[in-house]
Amino acid sequence: MTLRRAFYLSFGALSLALLAGCQQEEPTREDSASADSKRLRVAMLQPPRSGLNPLTDDAFKLSRWRTAETLVRLDDDNDPQPFLATDWAQLDERTWRFEIRDNVTFHDGTPLTAEQVVRALTAATHATPRPRILDGVTMTIEADGDHAVRVRTETPDPLVPNRLSSPQLAIMAAKAYGEDGRVNPIEAGTGPFVLKEINGTQSARLDRYDDYWGERAELAGIDADYVPDGTARAAALRTGTADVAEAVPVSQVALIDPELVHEVPMPRTNTLYLNTERGVFSDPTMRAAAREALDQAAIVRTVYEGRADEAKGLLGPALAWADGLRSPIEGRTDAADPNGASITLGTFTDRAELPEVAVLLEQQLEAAGFDVHQEVRQYAHIESDMLSGQFDAFILSRATMLDSGDPVAYMYSDFACEGSFNIAQLCDPAVDEALARAADLPTGPERRQAIIDAEAAILKTDAAVPMLHERVIQGEAARVANTVRDPRERELITEHTRLDGASR
């Protein structure tokens, strides 16, 4: 349901109440309030890319709306906690057993069983492309009775519980999975809100699910509109046509009541990816020249108005341990003179700051001797060209702990030879070796050091030049309470989110 449509429905409901007469006046007003005042209106950053298929990045919308749920969830320290699985144990170095929560029903009324979990996770392992969280992982799942499953990996994997927390591995009802590999999430989740309507790339509507296994939701429903234009999202919050607005652009903050603006440090890095496979930046000396041309401080000061942190590496201050483990990177390639080398620089419009970063970066690269041509589109229209290496350089705002709460999954996806999100087209044996070592270690100090070592191996190639770490700005109307300001961008609305003044 669009925000405009929600307004007209509200107006229509009020008009009918007035026409109904004195005897019906009070209950009709209450019905109108129930239908409208307890529904949360959300202006989302990006439209879905795959029809809200939970095996794609669209899963994070389903997670933020709390309609789809996973076996495991992460706490604030990124440690796995029970969710649809109540307990788990590692049986041997390659096998884990997860006990499934009892008395859970999907939104279509069918019960959650081990068989349903097997179907959902197996579909993820067979998907094309596979969810990023499964990059480099061969996993099989089988039922162990009606209320437990066994998860086996081809090689030892200490992060299996963390992987199963990824929104892309949400457990959906059997009816969601089509024979063609597509997944339809309508009325197929287990969360406190049931997805009722998908209106393409315009909007989605969710209602409260009264048979939820946990606490009944405070809200009657959610009306989500996709508003890629940052100015429009900010305006929706400012004028009261949205209760919550994702990712308010820095340029709009001064126009909004400061009490409605909430700044959240993010494990998100604004990075310049350089094409190592072909073109100008297949030459490492040219990549080094691009690195040296970059003025991080100018970008933070000018584009982000100081609301960002200069990057010291791929991992930012949201991972408090990272900076203390770093050492200077040795043996980096010396820069050569670009001498007018022509490059195509790409980015997308969905994050309002990125086109501005591209303008400033173009100036910096041209001052260093490159001839820069820009190409800027909406993300949905540029992603396939980006991933296939059609650009010499690409600016991306990238979440570094999006999937497992552990940076190795992001690093493997973006920089391993077999990574599914390898914008830089990088394939370096030293990087793969460092990533493999980090992946094999259990969580703890040794793994953290191995992650920083892998970061150094990646940065040494100059395939990626980290520029800054973002702080997301979330807009919330004064009447909104108990939304989640989540650095991992997994949560936004929960069963506890409410609109003050509207009782259940």
Side-chain angles (χ1 to χ4, degrees):
M1 181 185 295
T2 64
L3 296 174
R4 180 178 294 176
R5 183 180 173 194
F7 171 81
Y8 285 122
L9 285 178
S10 175
F11 182 82
L14 180 59
S15 299
L16 288 173
L18 293 173
L19 290 172
C22 295
Q23 290 183 339
Q24 300 297 322
E25 184 176 2
E26 290 303 320
T28 304
R29 272 204 299 262
E30 185 175 341
D31 289 345
S32 176
S34 177
D36 291 307
S37 66
K38 292 190 296 182
R39 296 188 65 84
L40 189 78
R41 303 161 300 171
V42 186
M44 305 293 292
L45 169 62
Q46 291 177 332
R49 303 167 194 170
S50 305
L52 292 177
N53 182 340
L55 300 179
T56 70
D57 275 351
D58 290 351
F60 292 87
K61 291 180 175 58
L62 302 178
S63 177
R64 283 169 76 73
W65 298 332
R66 280 300 303 279
T67 185
E69 297 178 324
T70 51
L71 291 182
V72 178
R73 68 195 312 178
L74 299 180
D75 64 15
D76 292 342
D77 294 323
N78 296 311
D79 292 326
Q81 303 295 325
F83 207 11
L84 292 181
T86 57
D87 198 8
W88 54 87
Q90 187 171 8
L91 304 182
D92 59 49
E93 64 179 9
R94 298 192 299 111
T95 307
W96 298 73
R97 185 180 187 271
F98 292 82
E99 296 182 14
I100 307 305
R101 189 178 296 277
D102 201 4
N103 298 320
V104 176
T105 57
F106 291 101
H107 296 152
D108 65 353
T110 58
L112 173 67
T113 63
E115 181 183 355
Q116 301 272 40
V117 173
V118 170
R119 178 183 288 108
L121 295 181
T122 301
T125 65
H126 292 165
T128 304
R130 300 201 325 157
R132 284 190 310 269
I133 195 65
L134 296 179
D135 279 348
V137 177
T138 300
M139 178 185 291
T140 58
I141 308 94
E142 64 181 30
D144 185 357
D146 292 336
H147 294 286
V149 296
R150 293 191 180 215
V151 177
R152 290 189 175 89
T153 54
E154 188 175 57
T155 59
D157 183 0
L159 285 185
V160 167
N162 294 65
R163 292 187 193 280
L164 294 181
S165 76
S166 170
Q168 293 181 325
L169 300 185
I171 309 302
M172 311 297 286
K175 74 166 192 174
Y177 300 94
E179 293 182 0
D180 59 359
R182 296 182 182 179
V183 186
N184 184 348
I186 290 180
E187 297 184 350
T190 59
F193 296 99
V194 50
L195 181 63
K196 302 293 288 187
E197 187 176 312
I198 298 174
N199 299 308
T201 58
Q202 299 300 311
S203 64
R205 180 173 67 86
L206 302 93
D207 293 340
R208 179 170 55 214
Y209 182 54
D210 288 328
D211 292 328
Y212 180 54
W213 59 268
E215 294 183 40
R216 184 172 181 261
E218 296 274 353
L219 296 170
I222 304 166
D223 297 315
D225 278 271
Y226 309 120
V227 188
D229 182 82
T231 301
R233 280 197 310 281
L237 179 70
R238 194 171 61 249
T239 59
T241 55
D243 299 307
V244 176
E246 287 190 314
V248 175
V250 169
S251 62
Q252 297 296 307
V253 170
L255 305 177
I256 300 173
D257 181 344
E259 293 187 0
L260 309 186
V261 174
H262 306 277
E263 193 169 318
V264 184
M266 300 293 289
R268 177 175 286 278
T269 303
N270 191 319
T271 302
L272 176 65
Y273 290 81
L274 303 177
N275 191 331
T276 64
E277 187 176 56
R278 60 179 178 267
V280 171
F281 292 125
S282 61
D283 180 348
T285 65
M286 290 292 101
R287 299 198 297 271
R291 168 181 32 95
E292 292 192 358
L294 184 66
D295 184 346
Q296 297 170 318
I299 296 173
V300 169
R301 182 180 63 254
T302 304
V303 178
Y304 289 83
E305 300 178 12
R307 295 178 182 266
D309 300 290
E310 293 180 40
K312 298 180 181 178
L314 296 169
L315 308 178
L319 282 77
W321 49 265
D323 194 40
L325 297 178
R326 289 191 177 103
S327 300
I329 299 172
E330 298 179 353
R332 301 191 87 159
T333 302
D334 293 331
D337 184 352
N339 197 28
S342 179
I343 59 172
T344 301
L345 173 66
T347 195
F348 51 96
T349 58
D350 303 54
R351 290 187 176 270
E353 293 83 10
L354 295 189
E356 296 183 50
V357 172
V359 170
L360 192 55
L361 189 55
E362 176 182 358
Q363 296 171 359
Q364 294 176 1
L365 290 170
E366 290 193 334
F370 291 99
D371 180 21
V372 181
H373 305 274
Q374 279 195 49
E375 194 164 334
V376 181
R377 310 177 213 155
Q378 276 194 338
Y379 186 87
H381 300 146
I382 206 169
E383 182 186 48
S384 60
D385 286 346
M386 173 191 76
L387 292 175
S388 62
Q390 299 302 306
F391 299 97
D392 297 297
F394 199 90
I395 302 169
L396 184 73
S397 172
R398 184 75 162 113
T400 58
M401 293 197 304
L402 189 65
D403 298 308
S404 68
D406 181 89
V408 173
Y410 140 73
M411 289 180 171
Y412 189 97
S413 178
D414 285 30
F415 304 110
C417 293
E418 301 300 323
S420 65
F421 206 73
N422 195 339
I423 301 170
Q425 316 299 310
L426 180 66
C427 188
D428 185 289
V431 169
D432 275 17
E433 182 179 349
L435 289 172
R437 180 175 183 278
D440 287 342
L441 294 170
T443 56
E446 191 176 358
R447 183 182 180 93
R448 293 190 186 108
Q449 184 59 63
I451 289 170
I452 293 301
D453 293 343
E455 177 194 66
I458 293 164
L459 294 179
K460 186 175 179 179
T461 69
D462 287 321
V465 185
M467 295 184 285
L468 57 94
H469 306 294
E470 297 184 7
R471 307 172 197 158
V472 74
I473 300 171
Q474 184 167 301
E476 302 170 13
R479 68 178 188 142
V480 175
N482 296 338
T483 57
V484 182
R485 299 159 191 167
D486 182 16
R488 294 181 298 246
E489 298 179 291
R490 292 182 175 206
E491 294 185 89
L492 178 63
I493 301 159
T494 75
E495 63 269 39
H496 305 297
T497 303
R498 70 176 192 271
L499 295 171
D500 285 340
S503 61
R504 280 196 290 178

